[in-house]
């Protein structure tokens, strides 16, 4: 079955601490994975995609096919990183399934 | 900057009534999606259009939900009759014909069924 799992509903960290938001997927084909973010009172938007191998706002994510994971990481959290984060999987024909999301709270 | 437009932003209705949501994607975007997001969950795909054709509506409860994109531009999602369990945020997203993988979301339409 095709599935995206985000095991943490809420993650609280202090400003300046490292952050890791977990994402695991189940997919038989070659996965294409994304992280989307929703800041307070804003619409859902793309943060980064694994094929770009880019760092956006200090966040990176590495696809680990062996562990079927695509965890989102940032070495030093900022208060403005507080948001809802969703991991998404392209299951083919540009059909995207989303995880349940993790709320990140960065404490001052 | 072009954005996906949705209306209404909020809708309160009684069960068994009919409800309709409208979405205007970013100009030129060929693919349009309707997602439903129940509180505390991630977006769940209801229907996907490529131009005016339905690509995937396998998760659309067709006994009460319908969706159309007649001219391959804007789209309407209808629920008739609404049930209590339909209370959710209905999100529209669009993406360009080129395979970037980026979905552009609207602000959503929040439905409350009483």
């Amino acid at each position: 079955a095709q599935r995206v799992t985000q095991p943490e509903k809420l993650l609280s960290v202090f400003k300046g601490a490292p952050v890791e938001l977990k994402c695991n997927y189940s997919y038989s084909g070659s996965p294409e994975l994304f992280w989307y973010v929703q800041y307070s009172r804003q619409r859902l938007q793309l943060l980064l995609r694994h094929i770009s191998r880019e760092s956006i706002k200090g966040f990176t994510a590495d696809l680990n096919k062996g562990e079927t994971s695509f965890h989102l990481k940032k070495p030093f959290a900022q208060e403005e990183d507080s948001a809802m984060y969703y991991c998404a999987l392209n299951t083919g024909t540009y059909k995207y399934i989303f995880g349940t999301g993790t709320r990140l709270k960065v404490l001052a | 900057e072009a954005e996906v437009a949705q209306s209404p932003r909020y809708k309160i209705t009684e069960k068994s009534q009919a409800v309709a949501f409208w979405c205007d994607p970013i100009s030129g975007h060929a693919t349009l999606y309707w997602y439903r997001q129940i509180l505390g969950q991630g977006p769940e795909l209801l229907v996907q259009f490529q131009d005016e054709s339905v690509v995937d509506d396998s998760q659309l409860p067709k006994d009460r939900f319908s969706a159309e994109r007649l001219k391959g531009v804007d789209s309407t999602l209808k629920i008739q009759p609404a049930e209590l369990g339909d209370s959710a945020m209905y999100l529209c997203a669009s993406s360009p014909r080129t395979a970037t993988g980026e979905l552009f979301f609207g602000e959503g339409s929040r439905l409350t069924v009483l």
Side-chain angles (χ1 to χ4, degrees), chain A residues 26-87:
Chain A
S26 173
Y27 184 58
S28 57
S30 183
E32 188 178 357
L33 287 146
F34 307 82
W35 277 98
Y36 279 78
V37 61
Q38 187 167 26
Y39 301 102
S40 179
R41 302 184 188 282
Q42 294 187 27
R43 57 189 72 196
L44 197 56
Q45 60 187 285
L46 178 68
L47 179 62
L48 56 79
R49 67 201 88 188
H50 92 268
I51 57 173
S52 299
R53 303 184 70 81
E54 57 199 346
S55 173
I56 302 293
K57 299 184 178 183
F59 284 98
T60 59
D62 291 319
L63 177 61
N64 185 322
K65 291 185 179 181
E67 296 183 358
T68 60
S69 68
F70 187 57
H71 302 330
L72 183 67
K73 300 177 184 179
K74 184 170 182 177
F76 307 104
Q78 302 300 313
E79 289 182 74
E80 55 265 30
D81 297 328
S82 295
M84 199 72 191
Y85 291 81
Y86 295 94
C87 183

Side-chain angles (χ1 to χ4, degrees), chain B residues 96-107:
Chain B
R97 198 176 298 275
T98 53
T100 65
E102 180 170 4
L103 302 186
F104 295 81
F105 282 87
E107 292 183 296

Side-chain angles (χ1 to χ4, degrees), chain B residues 11-60:
Chain B
K11 178 71 178 178
I12 299 174
T13 190
E14 293 186 345
K15 63 180 181 179
S16 79
Q17 297 298 303
V19 180
F21 303 110
W22 176 79
C23 172
D24 190 12
I26 293 172
S27 178
H29 279 194
T31 311
L32 184 148
Y33 306 81
W34 282 102
Y35 282 87
R36 176 171 60 185
Q37 186 172 22
I38 296 170
L39 194 63
Q41 300 183 20
E44 171 197 19
L45 181 66
L46 291 176
V47 61
Q48 176 186 346
F49 290 93
Q50 182 72 22
D51 299 309
E52 66 276 6
S53 301
V54 173
V55 173
D56 188 330
D57 64 356
S58 58
Q59 300 303 309
L60 188 70

Side-chain angles (χ1 to χ4, degrees), chain B residues 61-114:
Chain B
K62 299 182 190 60
D63 57 335
R64 297 185 300 108
F65 285 65
S66 64
E68 60 183 15
R69 194 184 183 198
L70 291 176
K71 296 184 180 179
V73 181
D74 59 339
S75 176
T76 302
L77 177 70
K78 296 179 181 177
I79 308 174
Q80 182 173 16
E83 295 182 353
L84 296 178
D86 296 332
S87 294
M89 178 73 83
Y90 290 84
L91 295 168
C92 179
S94 68
S95 67
R97 198 176 298 275
T98 53
T100 65
E102 180 170 4
L103 302 186
F104 295 81
F105 282 87
E107 292 183 296
S109 294
R110 181 169 294 284
L111 173 65
T112 301
V113 182
L114 303 176

Side-chain angles (χ1 to χ4, degrees), chain A residues 19-30:
Chain A
V19 173
E20 182 178 69
L21 300 170
K22 291 183 168 51
C23 171
N24 289 90
Y25 66 90
S26 173
Y27 184 58
S28 57
S30 183

